[in-house]
Amino acid sequence: MSYTLKNLEEVHDIAAERGLSDVFEARFARKDLEAEDTGLTLHRVKPNKRQAFGHRHEHAEEVYVVLSGSGRVRLDDEIVELKRMDALRVAPRVARRFEAGPDGLEMLAVGPHHDKDGEILPDFWKD
């Protein structure tokens, strides 16, 4: 088939599966969309919460688009403010972790898919 249509609300929330639904949602849609080379993730960070961990990629460049709400992101040693409809490109090897403002933070992440490219950083941007 030359296309795949999937409602992102129907994509499995991996954060809930891991007991993190009080902080955020993460719906990784690549497989549901039958995409071979493109990753797409819907992230929703609850109001005034920070994602449970940071991460970085060795090879993948990602673009995050804020759909609603606002917040901040730590990129290595810099903190950047985010608002609705901001598009943020993050280069490979840059550590990142998102924090929502009072209205939460909903965003899409898009980038090339590379197997086993992500590194979880549990202690990145701790209080």
Side-chain angles (χ1 to χ4, degrees):
M1 184 141 240
S2 62
Y3 69 91
T4 305
L5 176 65
K6 184 71 175 184
N7 186 297
L8 294 178
E9 297 284 353
E10 298 171 359
V11 173
H12 178 73
D13 177 12
I14 198 163
E17 174 185 297
R18 296 185 177 165
L20 299 170
S21 58
D22 59 328
V23 177
F24 73 112
E25 289 178 34
R27 299 178 187 271
F28 293 86
R30 183 182 65 82
K31 289 181 181 177
D32 292 79
L33 289 169
E34 302 173 324
E36 294 178 18
D37 302 318
T38 305
L40 174 71
T41 306
L42 173 63
H43 293 277
R44 289 182 175 136
V45 185
K46 306 287 179 167
N48 300 312
K49 299 285 186 177
R50 188 176 291 158
Q51 284 179 319
F53 49 83
H55 80 282
R56 72 173 140 229
H57 297 280
E58 183 64 26
H59 302 288
E61 173 183 72
E62 289 184 311
V63 174
Y64 296 86
V65 179
V66 177
L67 302 175
S68 64
S70 64
R72 306 183 311 162
V73 59
R74 181 172 176 183
L75 302 166
D76 287 337
D77 293 325
E78 187 174 351
I79 295 177
V80 176
E81 299 288 328
L82 299 170
K83 65 184 181 316
R84 185 180 172 281
M85 297 310 296
D86 279 350
L88 170 71
R89 180 196 64 84
V90 180
R93 294 178 293 285
V94 174
R96 79 256 357 222
R97 188 173 180 188
F98 292 87
E99 176 182 79
D103 296 323
L105 179 63
E106 180 179 46
M107 60 193 164
L108 287 177
V110 181
H113 174 74
H114 301 280
D115 280 337
K116 298 180 173 91
D117 183 43
E119 177 186 1
I120 302 297
L121 305 169
D123 295 329
F124 182 68
W125 195 11
K126 288 189 95 167
D127 289 330

